[in-house]
Amino acid sequence: MSATDTLDKTGTQTSAVRLGDLETPCLVLDADRMDRNIARLRDRIAGLGVTLRPHLKTAKSVEVARRVMATSEGPATVSTLKEAEFFADAGVRDIIYAVGIAPWKLAKVIELRKRGVDLAVVLDTVELAQAVAAASRESGMAIPALIEIDCDGHRSGVLPRDSERLLAIGKALVEGGELRGVLTHAGGSYAARGEEALRNAAEEERASVVNAAAILRDAGLPCPVVSVGSTPTAHHATDLTGVTEVRAGVFVFFDLVMTGIGICTVDDIAISVLATVIGHQREKGWILVDAGWMAMSQDRGTAKQVVNQGYGVVCKCDGTPYADLILADANQEHGIIMVRPGSDGTLPDLAIGDRVRILPNHACATGAQHRRYNVVHGTSDVVTGEWQRFGGW
Amino acid sequence: MSATDTLDKTGTQTSAVRLGDLETPCLVLDADRMDRNIARLRDRIAGLGVTLRPHLKTAKSVEVARRVMATSEGPATVSTLKEAEFFADAGVRDIIYAVGIAPWKLAKVIELRKRGVDLAVVLDTVELAQAVAAASRESGMAIPALIEIDCDGHRSGVLPRDSERLLAIGKALVEGGELRGVLTHAGGSYAARGEEALRNAAEEERASVVNAAAILRDAGLPCPVVSVGSTPTAHHATDLTGVTEVRAGVFVFFDLVMTGIGICTVDDIAISVLATVIGHQREKGWILVDAGWMAMSQDRGTAKQVVNQGYGVVCKCDGTPYADLILADANQEHGIIMVRPGSDGTLPDLAIGDRVRILPNHACATGAQHRRYNVVHGTSDVVTGEWQRFGGW
């Protein structure tokens, strides 16, 4: 029953494994949709004259990374040191670790840099800049760091016009370390609604780092990299003057949250969870499947949007959504399929043993619950490969 | 920096690894608290004259399973076939797979039974009973099945007084398969508030299966096992007449949802996530740590309770909670610590690099984000072992 039985080590198909042969629940990746999503953002970013530095935290897979990066060596963005190590082992050489560094992690950063990986870190305090400079001096290897800028108040970072803090960090860094540039993430754009709000979020994101870069340069400090990034702003920026690179992650797969924001349609969503029908509560209009929150994650990102998709949108095995059918509730290994409350949808006639595919609210969260992608192409049910993904720290 | 460097293969300590030496984020298990939690429910259930069949889906660890099971061979409950296979490999011989069986899974059930594992399945339809009977006849091995009873309308199962459906399932099963008994899970008890409501939920759970068993027996069908279970009802049942066994899982670790229901205190919660401070937004009263939703899970189970604990309660490294300090928000690898809105708590003076432990909303969900437990005892920061846990299907 396992796809591995009939795939060779390189993932090449040696006989036709079909979705109906897979054990459930499992993760399915439509590589055709993924390729379209990658081409769409790559073309867009190239048209704006900047570099795309994809965030590999969404896929955590060498096969996906090689398709989404401009070259086999990068550039790339990661969210954990484990990702940095994993992708370094796979040959990636240009990486930003885009979560504020902790002091104890610097030894590992130096280790990776000694292996020839240009790994840069991110920070937003003088204290950490001093720690990076000290570790650089001690190791005889200047660690490059980007100063994180807070463009919309949603998380970490220095305010873009806080010259005092920016310069103090910059000056502390260059005492042995390397000031590589400035970086921001418009996390607030996930709450933006409508084209204009998204364009404004993109412009605010751009302006914040361009401002911060100007403050550093005016003081004689270097700032070669000016990095922005989030999937909503990457797809709505119309002018990236002053920016050198765009980071984005979820665009490679897309998900229902992105659909709700208006960045994609459900037909663009490249990953789904394959599940088997295990029961009915007919008088309640429920179909039970063997994919619960363990398979879908507990991300309920669409609950705050106009259309609440529950734990996901239910599709036929060929990837076509049933009208208004959602995974309305979930236990650890049980999912409850219902027609969306208040809609005109009707419950399909699914028998025990039938299979469905469920589109996720959040590709990063759902992907993290699985260890492999079962690769299909478009509406075909032939599984052409099995790609490993990793997790943990 | 890794605990494995100084622990031998059996997890025995060969030199003192301390919490401060571990890489973050990581999962910490206080074995003293766990042992107390296990003893408390074991004594309670023994006092009620029934068997405890612990649910291993919470821990997914051989070391924890051996401490929580009555014998090294079981009895035990699991939520996936992978758990069944994993624990069978570790010598467990008496297992109920307590999620409605899918037809394709029966081949694997037979495989495990041929290895000497008394694995029983659960179902609630005539169709599946016929499939189990047919697979039993074909394999020459009667597969035991329990009929799932719906005691509170929260998920799957046959209504406890639906004689027609119960008898039809039972009669279909015994045509080759084995009718092992009836089983229910009072999932609705998670929403019960107050001692009386919890006692009522326990009685409703008991009565549902005792009724269903009587219907089967009155028709001359066998029903040796009468199985109930949920942590809230297991801790509140006062009379289990007619019940043969109690299943429960989360009691082994407990969590903030159980604290909110009133089953335990925060001082009973045995697992936590160790995190490192990576920044501050002082004007907002935020402390940033390197544990986001990837380390905590996205379970927000306490959001519906009287006290919303955000993504978790923040403790000192010795396991003592800071007053009213919670992980108020989380991104994938960032957590934002804040004083609980509306409380009198004050933000502790935590410097970059300092460590905290964060108690989870839901032990099953947070555990699933990790691959090992770092074992400590009480307030000591010495890590005495590293226990593996597994995930996936």
Side-chain angles (χ1 to χ4, degrees):
Chain A
M1 299 291 283
S2 164
T4 50
D5 296 341
T6 48
L7 295 179
D8 71 21
K9 281 183 182 172
T10 62
T12 307
Q13 184 194 345
T14 55
S15 84
V17 177
R18 295 177 186 277
L19 286 178
D21 302 324
L22 299 180
E23 298 186 1
T24 56
C26 67
L27 193 60
V28 175
L29 166 57
D30 181 339
D32 289 0
R33 290 185 180 191
M34 175 185 72
D35 289 344
R36 283 203 305 273
N37 295 340
I38 292 171
R40 181 179 153 208
L41 189 64
R42 185 178 284 167
D43 290 351
R44 189 167 205 288
I45 298 303
L48 290 164
V50 296
T51 301
L52 178 62
R53 179 185 287 279
H55 207 317
L56 305 183
K57 79 182 172 77
T58 305
K60 300 203 184 197
S61 148
V62 171
E63 287 83 357
V64 176
R66 289 195 177 136
R67 281 160 179 82
V68 71
M69 294 187 301
T71 80
S72 63
E73 299 198 345
T77 313
V78 299
S79 70
T80 64
L81 277 179
K82 181 164 176 182
E83 291 166 50
E85 291 168 329
F86 184 89
F87 289 114
D89 288 344
V92 183
R93 288 292 170 267
D94 176 3
I95 304 176
I96 293 179
Y97 170 32
V99 175
I101 194 74
W104 70 262
K105 293 176 183 164
L106 290 171
K108 290 211 155 194
V109 171
I110 290 166
E111 230 174 80
L112 277 164
R113 292 194 58 80
K114 284 188 175 161
R115 287 173 50 194
V117 180
D118 183 14
L119 177 63
V121 302
V122 165
L123 48 81
D124 66 359
T125 64
V126 174
E127 196 176 344
L128 273 169
Q130 288 168 337
V132 166
S136 297
R137 289 191 304 269
E138 280 161 32
S139 65
M141 169 169 279
I143 300 169
L146 294 102
I147 304 177
E148 185 170 5
I149 306 301
D150 178 10
C151 66
D152 58 11
H154 81 285
R155 194 165 72 189
S156 36
V158 183
L159 290 175
R161 294 180 190 280
D162 187 346
S163 308
E164 194 183 343
R165 191 164 153 196
L166 276 172
L167 294 177
I169 294 171
K171 285 172 185 169
L173 259 178
V174 295
E175 297 292 322
E178 178 193 334
L179 174 53
R180 179 65 63 89
V182 289
L183 169 149
T184 197
H185 166 61
S189 69
Y190 279 60
R193 293 294 171 270
E195 294 282 325
E196 196 187 340
L198 286 160
R199 277 196 304 271
N200 290 345
E203 173 53 21
E204 201 177 356
E205 187 183 40
R206 184 198 72 83
S208 73
V209 276
V210 169
N211 255 313
I215 289 168
L216 293 169
R217 289 171 185 149
D218 286 351
L221 289 164
C223 189
V225 174
V226 180
S227 180
V228 298
S230 83
T231 289
T233 53
H235 269 298
H236 281 83
T238 50
D239 170 24
L240 287 176
T241 304
V243 165
T244 63
E245 64 176 34
V246 170
R247 307 177 326 281
V250 81
F251 75 93
V252 63
F253 294 153
F254 280 131
D255 53 31
L256 294 167
V257 166
M258 288 295 131
T259 307
I261 300 175
I263 317 290
C264 66
T265 69
V266 287
D267 300 328
D268 295 320
I269 300 175
I271 64 168
S272 57
V273 171
L274 185 72
T276 304
V277 173
I278 58 170
H280 299 87
Q281 293 286 35
R282 292 188 196 278
E283 63 295 348
K284 293 178 180 165
W286 294 359
I287 297 171
L288 287 113
V289 291
D290 64 354
W293 58 251
M294 190 66 86
M296 296 305 302
S297 89
Q298 297 211 22
D299 195 293
R300 296 292 305 275
T302 55
K304 293 167 281 186
Q305 296 186 326
V306 175
V307 182
N308 180 350
Q309 307 282 22
Y311 286 83
V313 163
V314 182
C315 302
K316 296 172 188 165
C317 263
D318 67 2
T320 317
Y322 289 102
D324 291 309
L325 197 68
I326 62 172
L327 196 71
D329 205 353
N331 289 178
Q332 186 159 337
E333 300 290 349
H334 294 80
I336 299 178
I337 291 175
M338 288 176 68
V339 170
R340 187 196 321 282
S343 75
D344 296 334
T346 53
L347 205 65
D349 187 22
L350 290 170
I352 286 177
D354 281 355
R355 293 184 166 205
V356 294
R357 279 164 69 182
I358 308 165
L359 302 176
N361 283 319
H362 187 173
C364 307
T366 301
Q369 304 300 103
H370 299 265
R371 286 294 168 271
R372 66 194 68 83
Y373 299 96
N374 295 285
V375 182
V376 298
H377 295 267
T379 55
S380 165
D381 71 341
V382 176
V383 180
T384 60
E386 184 182 280
W387 295 348
Q388 300 305 305
R389 56 167 291 148
F390 65 97
W393 295 270
Chain B
M1 300 290 284
S2 163
T4 51
D5 296 340
T6 47
L7 295 179
D8 70 21
K9 282 184 182 173
T10 63
T12 307
Q13 183 195 346
T14 55
S15 83
V17 177
R18 295 176 186 278
L19 287 178
D21 301 325
L22 299 179
E23 299 185 0
T24 56
C26 68
L27 193 61
V28 175
L29 166 57
D30 181 339
D32 289 1
R33 291 185 180 191
M34 176 186 71
D35 289 344
R36 283 202 305 274
N37 295 339
I38 292 170
R40 183 179 153 206
L41 190 64
R42 185 178 285 166
D43 291 352
R44 190 167 205 288
I45 298 304
L48 290 164
V50 296
T51 300
L52 178 62
R53 179 185 288 278
H55 206 315
L56 305 182
K57 78 182 174 77
T58 305
K60 300 204 184 196
S61 147
V62 171
E63 287 83 358
V64 176
R66 290 195 177 136
R67 280 158 181 84
V68 72
M69 294 186 303
T71 80
S72 63
E73 299 197 346
T77 314
V78 300
S79 70
T80 65
L81 277 179
K82 182 165 177 182
E83 291 166 51
E85 291 169 328
F86 184 89
F87 290 114
D89 288 344
V92 183
R93 289 292 169 268
D94 176 3
I95 304 176
I96 294 179
Y97 170 33
V99 175
I101 193 74
W104 71 262
K105 293 175 183 165
L106 290 171
K108 289 211 156 195
V109 171
I110 291 166
E111 230 174 82
L112 277 164
R113 291 194 58 80
K114 286 190 173 158
R115 287 173 50 194
V117 180
D118 183 14
L119 177 63
V121 303
V122 165
L123 49 80
D124 66 0
T125 64
V126 173
E127 195 176 346
L128 273 169
Q130 289 167 336
V132 165
S136 298
R137 289 191 303 269
E138 281 161 33
S139 65
M141 169 169 279
I143 300 168
L146 294 102
I147 304 178
E148 186 170 6
I149 306 301
D150 178 10
C151 66
D152 58 11
H154 82 285
R155 194 164 73 189
S156 34
V158 182
L159 290 175
R161 294 182 189 279
D162 187 347
S163 308
E164 193 183 345
R165 190 163 153 197
L166 276 171
L167 294 178
I169 295 172
K171 286 172 184 168
L173 258 179
V174 296
E175 296 293 321
E178 177 193 335
L179 174 53
R180 179 65 64 87
V182 289
L183 169 149
T184 196
H185 165 62
S189 68
Y190 279 60
R193 294 294 171 269
E195 294 282 324
E196 195 187 339
L198 286 160
R199 277 195 305 271
N200 290 345
E203 173 53 21
E204 201 176 359
E205 187 182 40
R206 184 198 72 84
S208 73
V209 276
V210 170
N211 255 313
I215 290 169
L216 293 169
R217 289 171 185 149
D218 286 351
L221 289 164
C223 189
V225 174
V226 180
S227 180
V228 298
S230 81
T231 288
T233 54
H235 268 297
H236 282 83
T238 51
D239 170 24
L240 288 177
T241 304
V243 165
T244 64
E245 64 176 36
V246 170
R247 307 176 327 280
V250 81
F251 76 92
V252 65
F253 295 152
F254 280 131
D255 53 31
L256 294 168
V257 165
M258 288 296 131
T259 307
I261 299 175
I263 316 291
C264 66
T265 70
V266 287
D267 300 329
D268 295 320
I269 300 175
I271 63 166
S272 56
V273 172
L274 185 72
T276 304
V277 174
I278 57 169
H280 300 87
Q281 294 285 33
R282 292 188 197 278
E283 63 295 345
K284 292 177 180 166
W286 293 0
I287 297 171
L288 287 115
V289 291
D290 64 355
W293 58 252
M294 189 66 85
M296 297 305 303
S297 88
Q298 298 211 22
D299 195 292
R300 296 293 304 277
T302 56
K304 292 167 281 185
Q305 296 186 326
V306 175
V307 181
N308 180 349
Q309 306 284 23
Y311 287 83
V313 163
V314 183
C315 301
K316 296 172 188 165
C317 262
D318 67 1
T320 318
Y322 289 101
D324 290 309
L325 198 67
I326 62 172
L327 196 71
D329 205 353
N331 288 178
Q332 186 160 338
E333 299 290 350
H334 293 80
I336 298 178
I337 291 175
M338 287 176 68
V339 169
R340 187 196 321 282
S343 75
D344 296 334
T346 52
L347 204 65
D349 187 21
L350 291 170
I352 286 176
D354 282 354
R355 292 182 165 208
V356 294
R357 280 164 68 182
I358 308 165
L359 302 175
N361 283 318
H362 187 172
C364 307
T366 300
Q369 304 300 103
H370 298 266
R371 285 296 169 270
R372 66 194 68 82
Y373 299 96
N374 294 285
V375 181
V376 298
H377 296 267
T379 56
S380 165
D381 72 340
V382 175
V383 180
T384 60
E386 184 181 281
W387 295 350
Q388 300 304 307
R389 56 167 291 149
F390 64 97
W393 295 271

